[in-house]
Amino acid sequence: MGFPFTTMTLNLLLLMAMVATNILSLYHLTSTTLHPPKSPKHPQVPDQLLHQLHTIRATINHLTRLHPNTPILTSHSSKPTIPSDLSLYSHLSPIPSSCHNHPDLLYKYMSYTPFSLCPSDPDTAESLILRGCHPLPRRRCFSKTPHKPVQTLPINNPFPSLSSIPETIVLWDRYNCKSFNCLNRQNPNLGFDFERESSRHVIYKTELDLPVSQLMQIAKSAKSVIRLGIDIGGGTGSFAAAMRRFNVTVVTTTMNVVAPYNEAVAVRGLVPLHVPLQQRLPVFDGVLDLVRCGHAVNRWIPVTVLEFLLFDVDRVLRGGGYLWLDHFFSKGVDLEKVFAPLIGKLGYKKVKWATANKTDAGGVKNVEVYLTALLQKPVSR
């Protein structure tokens, strides 16, 4: 076994082993049918047959360990053609294992003509990322840009009027709506009316609210400082825009699932990170002062995934930094029995902990509650 096997040779050996196993099994079944044993309750399998089967099984296991990624061919399947650039890139950089769980999408994403325009199919990339295939493999093709060049963009104003934003900054082909105004008409709460968003994170209406000015005052009173932060699932970047007024730099993780959220963040002069919730935060340990989790972080995230997310937040926060769970929602009974103990595992100081009933249709139906919590990481451990 010291000599390397080619893929074709390995497949042939595995196929022969499978055929041999089936023939031996058929022989055994036929022989026991023609010559039934005297004791039907305890049929005896010949030692020679057992030895042969064990040998074949050990061979298959050994070959599989040598080539774990080699598919076993059957009469009903054929090996798909691996895109040439995917094969090339896999020798330069490791590809996340989750990508291999969705070969159809991966092969589609990597099927292109090098040094030409990339395929106009951004949904494939989005689908792969949402399935855990992240970071995506790099490609040697040119990203598509709008036909009409963008002449001017709002400067130093994170809350621009829609009339000042050229619609050509977005490639609208993949979306039902073809403009920001259309998105606002469909759902004004999506966050694309930037002038309207200027009042968010500013006004105190209920115990669930935490205006940015109050947050900064809390940090000041604790002799702490907030300079850098990340907003997980931050939509169009309204929280980062509000923090910019206080000279705080916040980057926003967001996805383009049904609307151009990343472009919306960027047009406001802010930094979008195209990162899914299950992805490790692309930030070094202990460098952030603040992490905010908005509506995207809620009870629909599996508990174990949420636990890993919270401890990744702990990783990037410095000692004395703040975790802000903003309007986290769950069923009332689950908040008490599941999520509160889970959050408690961090051992953070509760600066603010407020709950209230979720009064929309879904909240009433599912007996859900909101939680807004501001938690401070211990200064040292």
Side-chain angles (χ1 to χ4, degrees):
M1 295 296 177
F3 297 96
F5 285 92
T6 64
T7 302
M8 182 177 296
T9 304
L10 178 59
N11 283 330
L12 182 60
L13 285 173
L14 293 176
L15 184 61
M16 291 175 64
M18 293 171 63
V19 171
T21 304
N22 291 335
I23 291 175
L24 289 172
S25 300
L26 180 62
Y27 165 78
H28 174 61
L29 291 174
T30 304
S31 61
T32 54
T33 302
L34 295 175
H35 306 285
K38 295 181 181 180
S39 178
K41 294 184 179 179
H42 303 283
Q44 298 297 319
V45 180
D47 292 339
Q48 184 180 3
L49 177 61
L50 283 175
H51 178 72
Q52 291 171 331
L53 290 174
H54 288 320
T55 300
I56 292 172
R57 182 177 300 164
T59 302
I60 293 175
N61 290 337
H62 182 69
L63 292 175
T64 303
R65 285 196 300 271
L66 287 176
H67 298 269
N69 296 325
T70 302
I72 298 177
L73 298 180
T74 68
S75 59
H76 301 289
S77 64
S78 59
K79 185 178 179 181
T81 302
I82 300 177
S84 59
D85 262 29
L86 176 60
S87 179
L88 175 61
Y89 186 78
S90 65
H91 289 86
L92 304 175
S93 179
I95 296 175
S97 58
S98 297
C99 299
H100 297 291
N101 295 334
H102 308 281
D104 293 343
L105 286 173
L106 180 61
Y107 288 9
K108 182 179 180 182
Y109 175 74
M110 292 299 292
S111 295
Y112 60 90
T113 302
F115 316 117
S116 62
L117 278 177
C118 296
S120 182
D121 185 20
D123 288 334
T124 300
E126 202 83 8
S127 297
L128 279 169
I129 293 174
L130 291 173
R131 287 166 171 78
C133 178
H134 191 272
L136 291 173
R138 286 177 171 170
R139 299 192 294 186
R140 297 184 298 168
C141 57
F142 298 105
S143 60
K144 188 177 180 181
T145 56
H147 295 298
K148 296 181 180 180
V150 177
Q151 299 295 336
T152 59
L153 287 174
I155 300 176
N156 297 326
N157 180 15
F159 298 100
S161 63
L162 289 182
S163 59
S164 66
I165 301 176
E167 300 287 357
T168 54
I169 66 168
V170 177
L171 296 172
W172 294 97
D173 298 349
R174 60 179 293 203
Y175 305 112
N176 293 328
C177 275
K178 307 303 179 186
S179 68
F180 289 120
N181 283 319
C182 173
L183 290 170
N184 287 325
R185 287 194 300 269
Q186 280 195 350
N187 187 348
N189 296 319
L190 290 178
F192 290 96
D193 186 344
F194 304 132
E195 287 182 300
R196 181 187 178 197
E197 289 291 293
S198 63
S199 62
R200 287 191 62 191
H201 309 294
V202 174
I203 302 173
Y204 183 93
K205 295 181 179 178
T206 71
E207 280 292 319
L208 295 172
D209 297 322
L210 180 59
V212 169
S213 58
Q214 184 181 359
L215 171 66
M216 299 302 290
Q217 184 60 45
I218 289 173
K220 183 178 179 180
S221 299
K223 297 181 179 180
S224 184
V225 62
I226 297 179
R227 305 154 302 147
L228 301 171
I230 190 169
D231 188 13
I232 299 176
T236 61
S238 292
F239 176 69
M243 294 299 286
R244 185 172 174 177
R245 291 169 167 168
F246 291 82
N247 295 320
V248 177
T249 300
V250 174
V251 296
T252 304
T253 74
T254 189
M255 298 292 294
N256 281 25
V257 179
V258 295
Y261 287 99
N262 280 272
E263 294 93 326
V265 175
V267 78
R268 305 171 80 169
L270 306 169
V271 180
L273 295 179
H274 195 208
V275 176
L277 291 175
Q278 67 268 34
Q279 174 65 29
R280 184 178 187 267
L281 294 172
V283 180
F284 193 70
D285 301 3
V287 297
L288 296 182
D289 307 307
L290 173 69
V291 175
R292 174 184 175 269
C293 298
H295 273 190
V297 180
N298 55 62
R299 74 178 182 93
W300 294 111
I301 300 177
V303 174
T304 304
V305 176
L306 180 60
E307 186 173 52
F308 274 101
L309 170 61
L310 291 177
F311 277 86
D312 197 32
V313 168
D314 177 78
R315 177 185 64 82
V316 301
L317 277 177
R318 64 169 177 80
Y322 293 95
L323 165 60
W324 179 9
L325 296 172
D326 191 2
H327 285 72
F328 174 91
F329 68 88
S330 70
K331 292 185 177 180
V333 64
D334 290 340
L335 177 61
E336 179 181 351
K337 295 183 178 181
V338 178
F339 296 111
L342 176 59
I343 296 168
K345 289 182 180 180
L346 294 174
Y348 285 12
K349 175 185 176 181
K350 291 183 179 179
V351 180
K352 179 183 178 73
W353 186 279
T355 61
N357 291 330
K358 190 168 179 281
T359 57
D360 60 7
V364 173
K365 178 181 178 181
N366 296 304
V367 195
E368 293 174 330
V369 297
Y370 276 124
L371 165 68
T372 289
L374 182 65
L375 310 166
Q376 186 174 26
K377 181 177 178 176
V379 174
S380 63
R381 280 181 171 153

